Amino acid sequence: LDEIRPMFGVGLRAPALRTQQALCLLTPRVLSTYPSPTTAAQRVVCVIAPRNSPALAQVPHGLADFVIGESLDELLPRAAQAEAVLFIPPASPVLLEELWRGRHLPACRWVHCFFAGVDSVQPFALQHLLPAGLPLTNGRGAFSSSLAEYAFTAALHFNKQVARWLTNREGRVWDKFVMGELRGKTLGLLGMGDIAQACAALGKAFGMHVICLRRNASKQASVPNVDMVLGPYTGPIQPAHKRALLEQSDVVISTLPGTAETHHFMSFAEFDAMRADATFISIGRGSAVNEAALSRALLTGRLGGAALDVFEVEPLPPDSPLWSCGERLLLTAHNADYTDNYFKLGWSVWAVNFDRHVHGGPLATPVDIIAGY
């Protein structure tokens, strides 16, 4: 914020500028203030990415000397000069492992994952970066706004009974039913990262009561737009913590990362604890949801509706029972945040971190390697 405040006025206060807003403002003006091409040319960045990745069409070549490849043959000639690595999924983490084990990245001081989810590179980070004291950053914050919009599109879809509108139109039925509203309802958030905070802000805009479940409830004072924080002060989240949120929530949004701790965080007992007319939305990682349990809840009418953008296996297998859940389920192909400016925003997050790296400042989006997010 100190870096960009002069560009937007001295009255700018840190709490008023959220991550998403800052990233949008940073592009393209602030990018032009980064190291000059002459300086940048001395800084080599190793980019591990499939050659057909759309992200490569927007590489900010003026910022660094990018060595791009998806194989050892492509990267080895320059890898030893790289002071940073950028990993762009769905690149293979095996290649990253091979480069490190072969000691082909002796100058590397920082690794960045283009996406917010780092589950694919966490094993590598635990084994190599953590012992060496090297940082891992991710793309969090770049896509939070679009994911929050997606979540509330789904919440409104079920709350307003949009499927009923379409059926009535097709059947030429004049059906003056009671219309639902989100105002006064309870929004339950699983997790309280950047995406959940964007959802909380929208929830408040709709006049909802917002509660969240997080691993450390003592952080309550640091959570904006949340009326109540649930969870342990020490130790793991217990079933009672989950029930406390699920039993009172009309809309539940999971933004949980993919870690061992969150695997099947939502399963049979959890869906049974939800209200029969509640809506469940998953926009974090698919591994946090037991899809068999969710399918049962939807097919038996135990749950009002659900929207999923992430799955345990992607693409979703044709024999998944989720395909048979009918109007109670909305499905998208992990593209809720795949907007027109998706890659532009992703590069903006990387560029902010790169600038901090160049000037020795604290990185903007550091990952807790042990926690996995």
Side-chain angles (χ1 to χ4, degrees), residues 65-373:
D65 182 1
F66 294 95
V67 179
I68 303 170
E70 57 182 340
S71 68
L72 284 175
D73 289 342
E74 292 176 291
L75 297 173
L76 281 184
R78 304 284 309 283
Q81 304 170 46
E83 63 183 70
V85 170
L86 170 58
F87 182 84
I88 304 180
S92 171
V94 174
L95 177 55
L96 182 57
E97 180 78 21
E98 290 176 344
L99 284 167
W100 206 273
R101 282 188 176 278
R103 300 184 179 182
H104 301 303
L105 294 167
C108 181
R109 294 296 177 265
W110 159 53
V111 176
H112 180 83
C113 179
F114 196 84
F115 293 174
V118 297
D119 38 307
S120 62
V121 296
Q122 188 193 17
F124 163 82
L126 283 169
Q127 185 172 1
H128 301 292
L129 298 185
L130 189 63
L134 297 180
L136 172 68
T137 56
N138 65 351
R140 71 175 180 271
F143 320 115
S144 299
S145 176
S146 55
L147 288 168
E149 286 187 17
Y150 173 94
F152 275 84
T153 298
L156 287 166
H157 173 89
F158 291 110
N159 182 265
K160 302 292 184 183
Q161 302 183 65
V162 174
R164 188 170 180 173
W165 306 0
L166 302 178
T167 300
N168 288 340
R169 186 195 63 193
E170 292 298 320
R172 305 189 181 212
V173 175
W174 186 256
D175 177 18
K176 197 170 183 178
F177 61 89
V178 176
M179 187 69 69
E181 60 177 335
L182 293 180
R183 179 172 296 278
K185 296 290 196 300
T186 296
L187 171 64
L189 299 169
L190 302 179
M192 206 58 225
D194 206 86
I195 299 170
Q197 291 179 43
C199 291
L202 284 186
K204 275 300 170 188
F206 276 103
M208 301 184 76
H209 177 68
V210 181
I211 61 178
C212 80
L213 175 62
R214 66 185 314 176
R215 192 175 59 167
N216 186 350
S218 66
K219 295 181 179 180
Q220 181 166 359
S222 65
V223 180
N225 300 308
V226 173
D227 300 298
M228 180 169 60
V229 176
L230 301 170
Y233 281 76
T234 59
I237 292 174
Q238 300 296 326
H241 296 129
K242 295 184 186 181
R243 288 196 302 271
L245 179 135
L246 298 171
E247 290 174 353
Q248 61 181 305
S249 297
D250 299 286
V251 178
V252 175
I253 302 177
S254 172
T255 63
L256 295 171
T259 68
E261 189 177 79
T262 64
H263 180 72
H264 284 187
F265 192 88
M266 290 293 295
S267 194
F268 291 96
E270 288 73 27
F271 287 117
D272 286 344
M274 290 183 66
R275 296 180 176 183
D277 60 349
T279 298
F280 175 75
I281 301 163
S282 180
I283 52 176
R285 275 293 183 262
S287 59
V289 179
N290 183 335
E291 293 172 1
L294 175 59
S295 299
R296 189 195 71 170
L298 292 170
L299 292 170
T300 60
R302 185 64 193 79
L303 189 63
L308 304 179
D309 184 57
V310 291
F311 305 89
E312 293 189 78
V313 177
E314 297 180 2
L316 185 65
D319 60 351
S320 169
L322 290 172
W323 292 112
S324 303
C325 290
E327 293 181 350
R328 290 181 182 269
L329 181 62
L330 300 176
L331 292 176
T332 47
H334 204 152
N335 63 323
D337 56 357
Y338 192 39
T339 58
D340 290 341
N341 60 352
Y342 178 88
F343 295 107
K344 181 179 179 181
L345 291 172
W347 278 109
S348 294
V349 177
W350 176 85
V352 171
N353 280 296
F354 178 69
D355 183 59
R356 301 283 184 86
H357 165 74
V358 168
H359 294 102
L363 296 172
T365 59
V367 171
D368 182 329
I369 293 175
I370 296 176
Y373 54 87

Side-chain angles (χ1 to χ4, degrees), residues 49-62:
R51 276 293 176 179
N52 62 353
S53 172
L56 299 182
Q58 298 191 37
V59 174
H61 288 286

